Amino acid sequence: MAPRTLLRTCPLCEAVCGLAITLDDADKVVSVRGDRDDPFSKGFLCPKGASFGKLDDDPDLVTTPLIREGEGFRAASWDEAFDLIATRFTEIVTAHGSGSTAVYLGNPNAHTVAGALYLPALIRALSTRHIYTASTADQMPKQVAAGLMFGDPLTVPVPDLDRTDFLLMLGANPLESNGSLCTAPDFPGRLKALRARGGKLVVVDPRATRTAALADEHLFIRPGADAYLLFAVVHTLFAEELTDVRIEADGIDDLRAAAAEFSPEAVVERTGIPADTIRAIARDLAAAPTAAVYARIGTCTAEFGTLTQWLVDAVNALTGNLDAPGGAMFATAAAGGIPRTRPFRPGRWTSRVRGLPEAMGELPVATLADEIETPGQGQIKALVTVAGNPVLSAPSGARLDRGLAGLEFMVSVDRYVNETTRHATVILPPPRSVQSPHYDFALLQFAVRNYTRYSPPLVPLDGRPSESAVIARLAAAISGQPHAGTGADSPIAMIDELVISGMLHKAGMSERREELEGTDTTEQRIDLMLKLGPYGAWNGGELSLRTLLANPHGIDLGPLQPRLPGVLRTASRKVELAPPELLADVTRLRAGLATSAPEMVLIGRRQLRSNNSWMHNIAGLVGGSNRCTLQIHPDDASRLGLGELAEISSAAGSLTVQVEQTPTIMPGVVSLPHGWGHGASTTQSVALAHAGVNANVLTDDSVVDAVSGTAVFNGVPVTVGPA
Ligand SMILES: Nc1nc2c(c(=O)[nH]1)N[C@H]1C(S)=C(S)[C@@H](COP(=O)(O)OP(=O)(O)OC[C@H]3O[C@@H](n4cnc5c(=O)[nH]c(N)nc54)[C@H](O)[C@@H]3O)O[C@H]1N2
Ligand SMILES: Nc1nc2c(c(=O)[nH]1)N[C@H]1C(S)=C(S)[C@@H](COP(=O)(O)OP(=O)(O)OC[C@H]3O[C@@H](n4cnc5c(=O)[nH]c(N)nc54)[C@H](O)[C@@H]3O)O[C@H]1N2
Ligand code: SF4
Ligand SMILES: [Mo]
């Protein structure tokens, strides 16, 4: 067979770019290009996407199940691995109860079909409240704020990037990250287009980032102060009678009252931004024909993360830009879940040790170490991790590292032996990405244009189970049934059949089971979700698996459309601008006005050629600008007498770090990227040679955003001195 070029969505970040992948006759990836005929990404490709082949071909990947033997691992068969899992889970649950098991789900689950469709079955099999994910180290504040304002935590507005006249961006750096909770392939190009059509971009960041360099205006802000800035904007909008609410909303008077104390003058000290500048932002937002406020990770993983995310959309609503073209809008994804019926509520239960709130059924990852270490009924004894590396990604990572070492049993579904999975008793590898189907169930809910694309597996499985089958069989093994049946008796087919019959029954279409198409039950589920979705063939539209297969470059479904009040799930069926749960936390924010900020604080940053903790094993991606350095302003460095190395300490720990002096960071702020700190135990040889340090040795799991329980990575008090 001659080399052939096949199409697939890139699974490596939220931009969902189309890839054109050339494979040789041994199914090896020989080249990767951007898919120029993809109507959304139009050929865009970043260095990570270009490394898709190298990643696929990494000799350090785990390719068979591994079982712990002494300090290392030995290869095992799938049957042996699942037998061991079934035996040990049964023993542990018998001895300690089902509350002694836990799961941690990492970021790549947002990019896999297995993560979207099969993790619910795994969670059900575990029957535990110990559910932890990367969300509480990431976007949970946005979801809780959206849940309280719109009734559904998945109803998250995104900036209408391609049509807005004014974009205020806080704590995001899409020129490195390519965007987040805002699915926009070629985000850099879209920002350039905004400016080219006469629009204005204002970036708020404690660092003068590459995105800031592209902006009309960049404002340095003291880390953790975004809620103060946005409250002062709200204050100004009311004080100067600039509000123009065009949607059905409750709580406007309460919002005005809450903002009363946060005048621009009152927040100058906290934010470091002059009062006149804040007023000017409020006036610009109000005056622009269309405008959107967008805030991301720098503002989520912060002390007042949920308040900040609330105020972002409060400003969008007050300026008449919520749900309006060019403002902040809701996507209409082609395949979604079943809409919730009751309004979202956070904190339906709390964690055992610290009483932290549940959100969306999960507990904060910031308390995972507590729950492992603290004896008593409900102490975690067995853990499953899927596509996560919490030793490097969760706060107080060193503590978690010690905790994982003390577990009775741990299973990891992962591509690598790394800082986390080294603690596993069993490692189960997913197959290659080219052997997996791809559909962006989650990310297309946050797209800046309505769009859909399905990629079937490009290469057959050669005897390995799909990741979906691995997770389904893991769920069965945890329920005490380790033996994989075949065909209709396999765990995956049984899960799919249950889901399909449930969905058909709900839609009153049970008799249509035989009409579903696809090469397996996974594809039949996707077919059903598309057919029942807003553009679906069984819902007055045209989409089905067959249409998507016939359009392998993806299908443009048009610009975002106004969706209020239809998407609302609040009890009032209005947008709640002042939810009581958020007003209650304003007390904490108010108290902060009186306290003085720490002298030096730590923040994070992302790097273009990196991906959290797991792309440091590709030689072409590490080195150069992609190094683990502590960025510090030259004035701070000379005041502190720093040389090449520095010692940095926080309440949680200390590190010796490589110093990078740069005037692009605010004085009083230092920045360390996360995901580094590769230990001798990983089998990733390239990553080891570029080890760096674990920023999360310094972040403190005892501090969280109160409403969502999310970890605080930005604004961590530290001291820095010569090493
Ligand atoms: N200090 C600090 N810490 C942070 C952040 C920060 O800004 N600062 N950011 C936080 C954020 S936003 C996030 S999302 C988290 C990420 O936190 P995690 O999700 O815990 O960490 P990742 O580094 O993304 O780890 C992904 C793991 O999935 C594996 N993997 C990759 N592809 C696949 C696949 O297809 N299947 C399976 N089964 N495994 C796969 C990789 O080998 C790796 O072990 O980190 C958080 N931690
Ligand atoms: N290349 C690359 N792309 C990625 C990732 C990666 O690791 N590498 N990770 C992916 C993941 S998991 C996510 S969640 C997204 C995140 O995507 P983004 O949110 O765009 O993430 P960052 O690039 O870290 O940008 C966050 C910015 O916030 C700033 N910041 C820090 N503290 C504060 C603060 O208190 N206030 C304000 N206003 N700004 C602050 C930082 O200086 C930084 O520039 O990126 C995704 N894409
Ligand atoms: S921007 Fe994201 S989706 Fe696009 S090629 Fe790069 S990693 Fe892949
Ligand atoms: Mo993330």
Side-chain angles (χ1 to χ4, degrees):
M1 202 170 16
R4 60 207 197 278
T5 298
L6 300 169
L7 304 169
R8 188 191 200 284
T9 302
C10 178
L12 300 174
C13 91
E14 297 176 45
V16 306
C17 298
L19 303 180
I21 299 170
T22 304
L23 298 142
D24 68 12
D25 53 9
D27 287 341
K28 182 181 150 76
V29 175
V30 289
S31 77
V32 177
R33 284 185 294 107
D35 175 5
R36 260 169 280 152
D37 297 317
D38 181 310
F40 200 20
S41 64
K42 297 180 179 157
F44 183 79
L45 186 71
C46 84
K48 286 192 296 178
S51 300
F52 180 89
K54 292 275 183 318
L55 207 57
D56 182 54
D57 202 29
D58 184 346
D60 294 334
L61 287 171
V62 178
T63 55
T64 68
L66 299 179
I67 292 182
R68 165 164 305 286
E69 193 168 65
E71 287 300 292
F73 292 94
R74 67 172 168 84
S77 71
W78 290 96
D79 284 341
E80 185 188 6
F82 283 114
D83 277 336
L84 180 62
I85 292 165
T87 307
R88 294 295 287 129
F89 264 94
T90 307
E91 286 169 3
I92 289 168
V93 170
T94 306
H96 306 286
S98 64
S100 63
T101 66
V103 66
Y104 173 82
L105 309 173
N107 168 276
N109 287 306
H111 304 265
T112 63
V113 166
L117 299 188
Y118 298 95
L119 290 174
L122 177 65
I123 289 170
R124 234 174 295 122
L126 283 164
S127 175
T128 180
R129 282 193 170 169
H130 285 304
I131 298 162
Y132 304 87
T133 83
S135 291
T136 51
D138 189 342
Q139 83 291 350
M140 192 58 94
K142 185 81 222 173
Q143 299 201 273
V144 169
L148 293 171
M149 296 177 80
F150 311 121
D152 187 336
L154 294 174
T155 299
V156 171
V158 298
D160 187 5
L161 269 191
D162 299 341
R163 290 186 287 183
T164 195
D165 296 290
F166 185 104
L167 180 62
L168 174 64
M169 185 185 302
L170 309 103
N173 186 11
L175 263 79
E176 310 272 3
S177 71
N178 282 298
S180 182
L181 272 194
C182 178
T183 300
D186 192 14
F187 209 128
R190 288 171 199 271
L191 291 180
K192 286 175 198 152
L194 183 164
R195 295 209 51 210
R197 65 176 180 262
K200 189 169 172 186
L201 171 66
V202 177
V203 169
V204 180
D205 197 304
R207 298 184 309 122
T209 60
R210 285 179 57 212
T211 307
L214 199 84
D216 295 87
E217 195 177 344
H218 166 233
L219 305 172
F220 281 120
I221 186 169
R222 297 236 157 85
D226 299 86
Y228 293 100
L229 169 65
L230 290 169
F231 243 141
V233 169
V234 170
H235 178 102
T236 306
L237 291 172
F238 281 117
E240 301 191 1
E241 296 183 15
L242 298 173
T243 61
D244 174 23
V245 180
R246 299 183 195 174
I247 45 162
E248 288 283 314
D250 264 346
I252 298 181
D253 291 337
D254 290 335
L255 178 60
R256 178 193 292 129
E261 280 169 72
F262 299 94
S263 67
E265 280 73 19
V267 305
V268 168
E269 170 112 0
R270 278 312 292 219
T271 58
I273 301 176
D276 285 345
T277 308
I278 299 175
R279 285 206 175 83
I281 292 177
R283 290 173 192 151
D284 283 353
L285 281 166
T290 65
V293 187
Y294 166 66
R296 206 37 199 107
I297 201 80
T299 69
C300 269
T301 47
E303 193 183 356
F304 301 107
T306 308
L307 289 187
T308 305
Q309 304 316 312
W310 160 49
L311 292 168
V312 164
D313 288 320
V315 172
N316 284 326
L318 289 177
T319 54
N321 287 302
L322 184 66
D323 199 40
M329 301 190 78
F330 304 96
T332 310
I338 300 162
R340 64 185 296 127
T341 45
R342 271 177 302 171
F344 165 81
R345 227 159 25 93
R348 291 168 300 168
W349 56 86
T350 54
S351 66
R352 177 182 66 108
V353 178
R354 275 160 67 190
L356 293 178
E358 154 279 348
M360 298 176 75
E362 44 181 285
L363 291 170
V365 70
T367 198
L368 177 55
D370 300 313
E371 297 290 341
I372 293 173
E373 281 177 6
T374 312
Q377 190 67 35
Q379 180 183 14
I380 297 171
K381 301 285 184 184
L383 174 68
V384 178
T385 73
V386 183
N389 192 358
V391 169
L392 298 191
S393 63
S396 300
R399 180 182 173 209
L400 195 56
D401 191 29
R402 292 191 296 275
L404 297 184
L407 288 171
E408 287 189 16
F409 192 70
M410 178 169 153
V411 184
S412 294
V413 183
D414 206 287
R415 297 185 182 286
Y416 288 106
V417 179
N418 62 23
E419 300 68 28
T420 296
T421 61
R422 74 184 180 102
H423 294 295
T425 323
V426 180
I427 301 180
L428 304 172
R432 301 165 60 196
S433 284
V434 287
Q435 294 174 312
S436 305
H438 190 91
Y439 190 90
D440 281 301
F441 294 97
L443 304 178
L444 295 180
Q445 316 250 6
F446 312 118
V448 299
R449 227 182 134 81
N450 293 320
Y451 159 87
T452 183
R453 175 173 177 149
Y454 172 68
S455 318
L458 308 184
V459 168
L461 277 164
D462 64 29
R464 288 173 72 169
S466 70
E467 181 159 20
S468 298
V470 171
I471 292 174
R473 192 169 170 194
L474 179 57
I478 285 168
S479 310
Q481 292 161 333
H483 299 294
T486 49
D489 289 331
S490 64
I492 185 167
M494 290 199 282
I495 290 169
D496 289 334
E497 222 42 72
L498 260 175
V499 173
I500 288 171
S501 61
M503 283 180 72
L504 284 171
H505 178 76
K506 219 167 173 159
M509 296 186 179
S510 294
E511 75 288 354
R512 303 190 80 165
R513 173 67 186 90
E514 292 312 312
E515 292 175 46
L516 293 177
E517 297 183 12
T519 55
D520 55 22
T521 49
T522 302
E523 283 198 342
Q524 289 170 1
R525 270 177 81 176
I526 297 174
D527 189 36
L528 180 58
M529 289 170 85
L530 290 166
K531 282 175 168 158
L532 292 179
Y535 315 86
W538 292 358
N539 195 15
E542 288 176 359
L543 290 191
S544 65
L545 184 73
R546 185 190 284 243
T547 11
L548 268 62
L549 287 169
N551 291 276
H553 301 287
I555 300 173
D556 180 37
L557 299 167
L560 304 184
Q561 301 294 332
R563 296 203 63 201
L564 294 182
V567 289
L568 294 178
R569 292 294 177 272
T570 50
S572 60
R573 296 285 153 153
K574 293 182 187 175
V575 172
E576 293 297 341
L577 287 180
E581 293 86 345
L582 298 177
L583 288 180
D585 199 37
V586 175
T587 318
R588 208 168 52 99
L589 189 73
R590 212 171 274 135
L593 278 177
T595 58
S596 55
E599 200 173 308
M600 184 71 88
V601 291
L602 173 73
I603 63 172
R605 70 175 185 273
R606 273 175 176 67
Q607 298 163 301
L608 182 65
R609 290 179 295 133
S610 186
N611 196 9
N612 299 327
S613 77
W614 68 280
M615 284 183 53
H616 299 150
N617 206 43
I618 307 303
L621 292 180
V622 282
S625 65
N626 193 17
R627 290 184 310 129
C628 181
T629 59
L630 184 80
Q631 292 187 337
I632 186 166
H633 193 277
D635 293 351
D636 283 332
S638 64
R639 180 173 54 84
L640 297 166
L642 299 188
E644 218 167 281
L645 295 177
E647 177 91 7
I648 174 169
S649 306
S650 71
S654 50
L655 292 172
T656 303
V657 291
Q658 197 82 40
V659 173
E660 178 190 343
Q661 295 191 30
T662 169
T664 59
I665 191 162
M666 250 178 125
V669 182
V670 290
S671 164
L672 199 58
H674 72 285
W676 298 90
H678 302 294
S681 50
T682 163
T683 54
Q684 300 172 58
S685 46
V686 179
L688 258 184
H690 301 264
V693 295
N694 180 1
N696 284 320
V697 165
L698 300 171
T699 59
D700 184 350
D701 67 5
S702 72
V703 188
V704 294
D705 165 43
V707 190
S708 69
T710 300
V712 174
F713 295 135
N714 295 300
V716 178
V718 289
T719 54
V720 181

